[in-house]
Amino acid sequence: MPDNATNNDSFTPYNLVDGEEYMNDKQLEHFRQILLQWKQDLMEEVDRTVQHLQEDANNFADPADRATQEEEFSLELRTRDRERKLIKKINEALDDIDNEDYGYCESCGIEIGIRRLEARPTATLCADCKTLAEIKERQIGG
């Protein structure tokens, strides 16, 4: 199940066959379905948030109640902004599938791997390149 994804009981891990070509049509379709379902779940959550904000927006007389509601709405909007960015990454991954670039590290070009992609379908780096990027980020940031 992808990180940050809602609970989807229909997820089934890909059944690898010995000698199977990496990122063949069957595998690409598997990931296309994962990404499309994840995107749909996120879009439904956005719709629920918009509906919640519209229905529950009250002008409380009590400043504490008003502040609590504003903080709740602010948190929801920050969450939706993260999900908006995630939807962008999902769309980029879907484009990579269409262009047959999906599943390969954008840094070194090796296979990212089926299980890593199932855990994080928007991954663009293999585990080694991701680890190096995180180390560099910590050194620059720290």
Side-chain angles (χ1 to χ4, degrees):
M1 181 107 264
D3 318 56
N4 302 326
T6 57
N7 186 13
N8 180 356
D9 295 331
S10 65
F11 174 76
T12 305
Y14 186 81
N15 188 17
L16 282 166
V17 176
D18 285 343
E20 183 176 15
E21 181 184 352
Y22 183 71
M23 284 302 130
N24 60 43
D25 289 343
K26 189 176 175 184
Q27 291 174 9
L28 290 173
E29 186 57 28
H30 172 72
F31 287 106
R32 181 186 313 279
Q33 292 309 312
I34 289 171
L35 290 160
L36 289 172
Q37 181 62 54
W38 195 10
K39 181 179 174 180
Q40 181 180 335
D41 292 346
L42 290 169
M43 295 300 291
E44 288 172 2
E45 189 61 33
V46 168
D47 290 343
R48 281 191 291 275
T49 297
V50 169
Q51 185 176 4
H52 169 69
L53 292 175
Q54 289 172 341
E55 290 175 357
D56 293 347
N58 293 314
N59 191 6
F60 291 109
D62 180 31
D65 289 340
R66 193 166 43 248
T68 299
Q69 182 183 49
E70 287 174 9
E71 182 62 27
E72 176 190 328
F73 285 0
S74 177
L75 181 60
E76 281 191 52
L77 291 172
R78 283 194 305 270
T79 301
R80 294 300 87 76
D81 187 53
R82 281 193 299 274
E83 289 173 345
R84 179 188 55 80
K85 291 174 185 172
L86 183 54
I87 289 170
K88 182 177 185 246
K89 287 183 179 184
I90 291 170
N91 286 334
E92 290 169 356
L94 289 166
D95 288 343
D96 286 347
I97 288 174
D98 291 340
N99 297 324
E100 298 181 8
D101 292 330
Y102 185 78
Y104 296 92
C105 179
E106 67 182 20
S107 180
C108 71
I110 69 165
E111 298 173 358
I112 292 174
I114 299 293
R115 298 303 170 230
R116 174 163 165 67
L117 288 168
E118 285 181 332
R120 182 171 290 278
T122 57
T124 58
L125 298 173
C126 67
D128 290 340
C129 288
K130 181 63 176 172
T131 300
L132 287 173
E134 288 172 352
I135 291 169
K136 288 178 187 176
E137 187 177 307
R138 278 194 299 269
Q139 289 174 342
I140 293 170

